[in-house]
Amino acid sequence: MSHYPPQARLAAVVAAAVVFAACDATPARVKPWRHAPDPLAVAEQAPRSPALAKDDDDLGLRQRRDHTLRIHVDAMPRTLHPLLSPSVWGRRILVGPVFQTLVRYAPPATGAGTGPGAYLPGLARSWRIELGGTQVIIELDPDARWQDGRPVTSVDVQFTLDTARDPGRHLDHLRGSLANVVSVELVNPRIVRVRLSHPDGWFLRGLAEIPIVPYQIFGNDLAGGALIGSGPYRVVDNKDGVVHLSRWDGYKGARPAIPDIEYAYQPDAAQALMAAKRGEFDVIPSLIPEHWPGQASAPGLAASFAPLELAPPRFRYALFGATTPPTDDPRVRRALGLLIDREAIASDVDRGLARPIAGPIWPGGPGDGPGPNPPALDPAAAGRLLDEAGWIDSDGDGLREKAGQKLRLTVLALEGKNGKAGPEVDKILDGLRRANIGLDVRLGTEAVLRNKVNDDGVNLAFLEWNGAVDSDLTRLVGTGGADNAGRFSSRRVDQALAAIAAVWEPESRGPLVGELAAILADELPIAGIVRVAPQGLVNDRVAGVVVWDGWFDVTACRLVAVPAP
C-alpha cells in the first residue's frame, strides 16, 4: 500500500517535470527491451543477488515453499521502522502485519475502484463520536497484546498519537491527519479520549494510517526500539536482503493462513523474473516498462502467474497559477487542459503503465468516488475558449494577444541529463505552441524548482500527488491548502470540501466526492494527466489477493494447491 498521507510532489516535471521514485533505492537497471537480448535468457547466465544466490544453494528455500509467501522487493528500505523515515516497502512490510492501527480501513470485497471502503476494528474494539463530533472515545481490544506478552494499553496509544503530532519529531507523513487534535487523554488503561478543535470526519481515516507502537520499547528511544508489534506476524530476521515475517502464535485475532512471508530484495528486474519462473517469487509487484507487456505473457510465466494491477492512488497533474494572468481565467485553464494529449502520454511516454484521468477523483483514487471522463485532446474547443477569453491572433504573427499583450506562459521544467526537459514535457508544450501560445520555459534542478513553484509569476507546473485512497483533498485544492501552490481559491470548492469533512463514514462520502469532482472540472485549479498503473504478477497458488490503496492485505491471503499443467 502506498499509505502516505496526501502530499504533492514535483514529479516527471515541475511545470514540466521532477521525477520522484516510489521506492528507496536505485531503480532496476535493464537494457532497453528493443535493443537487448531476451532479459530472461541473459538473467540465466548473470550473477545472482546475495539473497537469491544464498537461497539457490540452500535446499531450505524449496522446503519452505509450502508455507512461505515470497514477495519481490525492488528497493530495500534504508530503515525498517513503523514511524520514522517511512518508505513504500517499509510500510508494506510493517504496517498491518506487524504493527496494527487502531482502525482498519478495509477494501470493498472486490477491491479498489469497486465501491467504498469500510472502517473495522483494529486495536480499537470500538469508538464513539461525542459532543457534536469534537470528542472521540476509543476503547481498546482487551485481548490485544504486544509480541513480548505485555497488554496494549491507552498509554501506548497516547504516546504514539502525541509523538505523531509533535512537530519536533518530524513525522510529517502522519502529523497532518492529526492537525485538529487538541489533546489525547487517558481515561483508564483501555480507554482513550481524543478531543478535536472542531468536528473532523477525516479523523478516523487518519487513525487507519498510524501504527501504534509500545511505549515501553520506543518511549525512551524512538529510533532504536526493537520491532515488537501487536499484529499477527513478527519480524524474525532481516539480513542478506531478506525480511522474514513469521506468524505469531500469541495473536488473539483472526489467524493468518500463511505461516511465513519473505520479502526478498533483487534490484535487477530480469533476474527477478527469472527467479519467479524458477518458483523463487510468488509476487512481482511491478514490472519495469521494458518487460511490459511482453514478459507478462511469456509462456514460462503466463502458465503459472496471473496479472496484478496494484492501482495506487498516485497521479500526475498540471498545476495552474490561479492568481497569475492569464491562468487566473478559468476559460484559459480549461483550454490548456484540452491541449494535453493524455492518451498519447499514457501509451507513448508511460508505455501503457498509466491511465488518463481528468482530476484527483476516480473510483479507488485519492478522491474515492465518481469522476468525469478524462478530456480528449481537442485543439478546436481549446481555441474557442481562448477566443472567448479574448486571446486572438489578430495580427497573424503566430501568437495570440489581448489588449496588445501577447499570450505567454511561464513554465518551470526539470533539467534532464541532456540539458533538456523530458518527453512528457515536450509533448505537452508542443501542443501549447501549436495553439499559438508563447512559452517561457525555465529549466532547473529539483531543489530550484521546489522553491520556484510557489512564485507568483508561474503559470504552469506539472506535479505528482502521492497519497492514500480516499483522502482529504483540502490541502490540494482548498483555499490555503498546504499543496495548493497555485493559490486557487473557490467558495464552491471550499463548501464541497467542508460537506465531505462533515461525514464520518466512507460510504456516505461517495456522492459528495462526485459533486466535488464536477465543480473541479468546471473551475479546473489543476488538470489531471495520468494516474500510474503499475503491472505485476502473482502466482496462481496465492489466493485472496484484494488490491486496495496500492497494495494488498497479506494477512488475508492463503496458499492453495495448483493442478500440474
Side-chain angles (χ1 to χ4, degrees), residues 15 21 26 28 30 33 38 40 83 126 155 208 212 244 287 335 389 431 450-451 499 506 510 523-525:
T26 305
V30 177
W33 174 251
D38 182 343
L40 296 188
L83 297 178
S126 66
V155 172
I212 302 302
H244 177 198
L287 298 170
R450 279 182 176 276
N451 292 328
E523 302 202 15
L524 210 68

Side-chain angles (χ1 to χ4, degrees), residues 39-90:
L40 296 188
V42 173
E44 286 278 21
Q45 307 300 323
R48 313 294 303 289
S49 77
L52 296 182
K54 174 180 181 294
D55 281 328
D56 198 35
D57 295 332
D58 182 3
L59 292 178
L61 187 148
R62 298 181 187 278
Q63 295 169 352
R64 296 195 302 272
R65 286 292 291 160
D66 64 339
H67 61 81
T68 301
L69 173 67
R70 213 157 196 264
I71 299 174
H72 170 232
V73 175
D74 59 3
M76 204 63 184
R78 295 189 182 96
T79 60
L80 202 58
H81 193 285
L83 297 178
L84 298 178
S85 303
S87 65
V88 171
W89 276 111

Side-chain angles (χ1 to χ4, degrees), residues 52 64 98 174 203 228 305 319 465 476 505 536 551 561:
L52 296 182
R64 296 195 302 272
V98 180
L174 300 176
F203 174 67
I228 295 176
F305 282 82
L319 169 75
W465 178 269
L476 178 64
E505 292 299 326
W551 193 232

